[in-house]
Amino acid sequence: MRYTEKYKVTSHDVDVNNNMKPSLVLRYMQETANHQMRDRKPSYYDLFFAGKSFIITRITIEIYEQIHQYDEIEVATWRCPEKGATFIRCYEITCRGRIAARGYSVWAVTNQKTGKLCKASEVDISNYDTDEPLTLAVPNRFRLPKTIDYVKAGEKTVFYSDVDMNLHMNNTHYPDMLWNYIPDVINKEVTSVNLRFMREAPLGGKVEIFMGKMDAPLPEDRDAEETYCFASRVNGDTNVEAQIGMRKLKK
């Protein structure tokens, strides 16, 4: 079984080309997951105030069709069978009767007092709607090519409006933060986003963003015409690694 919610996309969710911003694709997915947690229990707040926090480690998103303002979408999410201390959650967005985007994410649960990871047996989420994991074309595990010349694209200070209850920059802010630096982005659209989270960006921290372009697009992303790679750092340590697939804007 899958948990679903319906939404109408707002005018603030899209870019100048009327395509949903990549962070909003992720945000609608995770909002639906939060609704499932709220309705099925335990909610995110229940877990947080019990001293446990879900922390995302990886997410892969494939975008097959662009979503526009005032489109009506249905977002499905479901818990997948856990493995040890690894919690898997998948997502699917349907628009105009067709699948527009899919996502596969990997999470951990931390004990706030000890800082250690919780095993699946220590977190009772058996009430959550459950289904088998998706198999996406873009691999969830990836390594950034070492042959690319990475250049510093910019910096970002983590402000109060960026953080979540853990006082770290919320993971849904990252796609737009990186996407902003893609050259001539106004004439392009996103086909995939692949993120690996390695270290949190705390409130007040400074994120350095480094970017490079692959010689050829990621072969698994069949719609991509180019792929950009990113590595961000906080206090000299790697914060996030990412690959973003792009193609020329479809008029």
Side-chain angles (χ1 to χ4, degrees):
M1 296 290 292
R2 301 180 179 187
Y3 181 93
T4 62
E5 284 281 17
K6 294 182 179 180
Y7 308 91
K8 180 173 284 189
V9 177
T10 78
S11 60
H12 302 285
D13 297 337
V14 299
D15 64 10
V16 298
N17 294 308
N18 196 25
N19 291 332
M20 185 183 283
K21 301 171 187 175
S23 277
L24 269 297
V25 177
L26 177 53
R27 206 161 291 172
Y28 275 108
M29 289 177 173
Q30 291 198 14
E31 181 65 16
T32 306
N34 285 342
H35 286 201
Q36 183 199 43
M37 296 173 73
R38 175 200 66 193
D39 293 345
R40 302 294 189 253
K41 304 296 181 186
S43 69
Y44 183 89
Y45 285 94
D46 293 335
L47 288 169
F48 186 85
F49 291 116
K52 297 174 181 177
S53 295
F54 268 102
I55 304 294
I56 192 168
T57 60
R58 301 193 304 275
I59 187 163
T60 302
I61 297 173
E62 296 179 346
I63 300 173
Y64 313 116
E65 296 192 13
Q66 298 299 316
I67 300 170
H68 311 304
Q69 64 176 325
Y70 308 132
D71 276 346
E72 294 183 354
I73 61 174
E74 182 173 89
V75 185
T77 188
W78 60 97
R79 157 201 173 215
C80 303
E82 293 82 26
K83 300 176 182 178
T86 299
F87 298 78
I88 299 171
R89 176 176 286 278
C90 291
Y91 315 86
E92 193 168 82
I93 300 179
T94 302
C95 182
R96 299 181 291 276
R98 298 185 295 274
I99 296 172
R102 284 182 169 140
Y104 179 103
S105 61
V106 179
W107 301 73
V109 176
T110 60
N111 183 308
Q112 296 173 20
K113 291 183 178 179
T114 66
K116 295 181 179 180
L117 298 182
C118 299
K119 296 180 180 178
S121 58
E122 300 174 294
V123 185
D124 184 7
I125 54 175
S126 56
N127 286 337
Y128 295 176
D129 307 71
T130 306
D131 204 343
E132 291 302 308
L134 292 172
T135 300
L136 302 183
V138 175
N140 186 248
R141 294 182 180 273
F142 68 96
R143 290 185 180 275
L144 293 181
K146 296 182 178 179
T147 55
I148 293 177
D149 292 326
Y150 291 90
V151 298
K152 187 172 181 178
E155 292 185 354
K156 173 181 172 52
T157 299
V158 180
F159 292 111
Y160 180 73
S161 60
D162 296 314
V163 300
D164 54 24
M165 292 177 66
N166 296 300
L167 294 180
H168 302 140
M169 187 160 79
N170 188 275
N171 70 84
T172 64
H173 288 233
Y174 282 93
D176 281 0
M177 181 185 78
L178 303 176
W179 170 68
N180 282 329
Y181 291 103
I182 291 176
D184 195 33
V185 68
I186 195 171
N187 291 310
K188 299 173 182 177
E189 58 188 35
V190 179
T191 58
S192 66
V193 178
N194 208 344
L195 293 162
R196 179 166 60 170
F197 299 88
M198 304 175 72
R199 182 176 293 273
E200 298 90 350
L203 176 64
K206 293 196 181 295
V207 182
E208 296 181 287
I209 302 159
F210 296 84
M211 181 182 73
K213 183 182 178 183
M214 292 178 62
D215 293 335
L218 192 69
E220 293 89 350
D221 186 349
R222 292 170 293 180
D223 293 327
E225 297 172 348
E226 53 188 12
T227 300
Y228 290 87
C229 296
F230 294 89
S232 59
R233 296 177 188 167
V234 175
N235 296 326
D237 295 319
T238 302
N239 161 234
V240 164
E241 293 183 342
Q243 293 177 327
I244 300 180
M246 304 290 296
R247 68 181 174 195
K248 291 180 182 178
L249 183 68
K250 287 191 173 182
K251 301 293 186 179

